[in-house]
Amino acid sequence: MQAPFDPTHAVSFDLNRGRVVIGDGDAQVVAPATALVELCVEAGSEPGRAFAAHLGSEIGRRVSKRLPDAARLSPEVVLDHLGGEWALAGLGSLGLERWGRALVLTVDGSPFGPRGDAVVAAALEGSLQRALGRQASVVVLERDDERARFAVLNRKAATQVSAWIHDGMSFGEALERLHREEGMP
Amino acid sequence: MNQRIGRLEQLLERVRRNRDAPRARQTAGPGTATSRDDEQILPPAGHAVAPARPPASSRRPKRIPDLELAEGPSEPLPPVMTPPLESGAHAASAQRLSPALPPFDEIEPGSLRSAPPSADLVRELQRGQGPTVEQLGNTLELDDAQGPPLELAAPIEEHPASERDELEEPLPRGLTAGTYDDSLLPPPSVHEDLRRHKELVERYSLVPEEPPPPEPAAGIGGVPGIFSRSEVSSSQVAHMVKAAQRFQPKTFIEWLDASLDLGKH
């Protein structure tokens, strides 16, 4: 039985030294989210993705440390710890949705807003790769004022779904079509 | 019964004798009005008349012509007229009777009921010096009512109230709820009403209708079909998208791998 996520003493503020530490990791920086988004957007797609992937990788590292046998754990347990670490980083509230076989992650209250959805997607890729050892492509499905949805797919499928959504297809229809082309109902 | 028959035969004999006896012709005096009240009304056969005491405003006594002749024409009779109800006993009624007969006020009711007219009275009547037999009549004793006794409904027995709470109020009698007469039949338009009701429900209902329950066989053995009220279905308060139930990943990694396999081929 895996213990639930415990954030006690997860974040340390050493005010004398001016140091913020999450867990036993490297030093953190409390920076404005808008400044980070602006940086990523101005830096371009690949530098921005690299930055976000590194951000997510650090989250995945802490998750893997908490859950060394994450491959055998249920989705609820993984979500509990992954979402806990995601919240400690100040990136919003993480959730899971199952659309057929597709794994859909939701982020409520992302500090980056709509302009930072690509940053969030890249951060999610880094987290999954580091925590679970899977190379995934996370694509933005839709978003509203509060919630953004991301599909965890392979690179080919992610490209296809992004194209369908860009053409005006709803994310539900895109996921349904993806299943149908796989010969699944 | 034999006694009654005997009395009736005696009465019939007297009537026959009176019929054959010479009778004075009735003449109307001056100022006397003739009306139907003067006519004699015989009781129908088989019916006995038992006037214990005629009321003051009832039929006046029959005029006796012989009495008028005996008194002479010098004394005109007062006009015959029925006294009003509020006038009480009329004095003329007693004057017209024979002096041998007591006035009505002095007649004992029991004497009229128990005894038939005496032989002297009959002879006097035959001479025309008194009231006729028809006026006096004859009182017959009626037998007690015969036949089966009347069956009266038994009175509703009030059950003694057991120890009741002072706050307990007894249910009103005859207002039992929840029961109905099994012999009651549905109205003739019940099928049409049900059909119209179903049409309205299908037309205006926003909730998908559940398949109707099997309709009970109505009318078997005269018992009306019972249509139970359908359960109130909940309205759609939230939109729920169900995922394919065939895929139930037990671990997160299994789900992740399945998602990554989508669109590979």
Side-chain angles (χ1 to χ4, degrees), chain A residues 50-124:
Chain A
F51 170 76
H54 190 81
L55 183 63
S57 179
E58 180 61 21
I59 294 174
R61 186 190 65 82
R62 296 197 296 266
V63 170
S64 62
K65 188 176 182 180
R66 289 176 179 268
L67 303 175
D69 53 351
R72 295 184 299 151
L73 297 179
S74 66
E76 291 79 6
V77 174
V78 174
L79 175 64
D80 183 28
H81 288 264
L82 181 60
E85 294 295 341
W86 191 267
L88 282 179
L91 297 179
S93 175
L94 193 64
L96 284 177
E97 288 182 359
R98 188 173 72 240
W99 291 74
R101 288 176 174 267
L103 171 63
V104 175
L105 297 171
T106 62
V107 177
D108 294 343
S110 169
F112 300 142
R115 295 183 65 194
D117 286 343
V119 177
V120 173
L124 289 173

Side-chain angles (χ1 to χ4, degrees), chain B residues 111-210:
Chain B
S111 61
L112 289 179
R113 287 176 55 86
S114 60
S118 62
D120 296 339
L121 178 59
V122 173
R123 284 194 297 272
E124 186 176 0
L125 291 175
Q126 288 176 352
R127 289 197 302 269
Q129 296 179 353
T132 62
V133 176
E134 291 77 8
Q135 283 182 306
L136 294 178
N138 190 10
T139 301
L140 299 179
E141 292 291 341
L142 297 178
D143 298 334
D144 295 336
Q146 297 179 354
L150 295 177
E151 296 181 358
L152 300 178
I156 299 176
E157 183 179 358
E158 294 287 344
H159 295 284
S162 57
E163 295 180 0
R164 292 187 312 176
D165 189 1
E166 60 180 1
L167 299 178
E168 183 181 2
E169 184 68 17
L171 292 175
R173 300 178 63 87
L175 295 178
T176 55
T179 60
Y180 59 91
D181 191 356
D182 290 341
S183 61
L184 289 178
L185 295 177
S189 62
V190 60
H191 295 292
E192 180 64 22
D193 294 342
L194 288 175
R195 185 190 60 78
R196 188 165 53 252
H197 174 70
K198 288 181 178 178
E199 289 179 357
L200 292 176
V201 170
E202 292 175 354
R203 184 178 304 170
Y204 297 107
S205 176
L206 298 178
V207 181
E209 186 179 6
E210 296 180 0

Side-chain angles (χ1 to χ4, degrees), chain A residues 3-26:
Chain A
F5 176 75
D6 184 10
T8 305
H9 305 299
V11 181
S12 300
F13 290 88
D14 187 352
L15 299 182
N16 291 329
R17 299 172 59 189
R19 185 181 175 89
V20 179
V21 177
I22 299 178
D24 57 352
D26 297 335

Side-chain angles (χ1 to χ4, degrees), chain B residues 23-132:
Chain B
R23 304 191 59 169
R25 183 165 183 168
Q26 180 177 352
T27 57
T32 301
T34 303
S35 66
R36 292 184 60 85
D37 291 341
D38 297 328
E39 297 177 0
Q40 182 179 9
I41 300 176
L42 294 177
H47 286 250
V49 180
R53 178 176 179 178
S57 59
S58 65
R59 297 167 59 84
R60 62 192 177 218
K62 188 177 179 66
R63 294 177 59 204
I64 304 175
D66 295 342
L67 187 60
E68 295 178 0
L69 294 176
E71 292 176 349
S74 60
E75 296 180 13
L77 293 174
V80 178
M81 55 186 301
T82 302
L85 292 175
E86 60 274 13
S87 62
H90 201 273
S93 61
Q95 295 174 358
R96 295 182 185 282
L97 293 176
S98 170
L101 294 177
F104 279 127
D105 296 339
E106 299 177 0
I107 295 175
E108 294 293 336
S111 61
L112 289 179
R113 287 176 55 86
S114 60
S118 62
D120 296 339
L121 178 59
V122 173
R123 284 194 297 272
E124 186 176 0
L125 291 175
Q126 288 176 352
R127 289 197 302 269
Q129 296 179 353
T132 62

Side-chain angles (χ1 to χ4, degrees), chain A residues 71 73 103 134 152 154 182 185, chain B residues 246 252-253 257 259-260 262-263:
Chain A
L73 297 179
L103 171 63
R134 296 294 190 274
V152 181
N154 60 64
E182 286 288 319
Chain B
R246 287 171 291 184
F252 182 82
I253 198 69
D257 290 341
S259 182
L260 293 177
L262 284 173

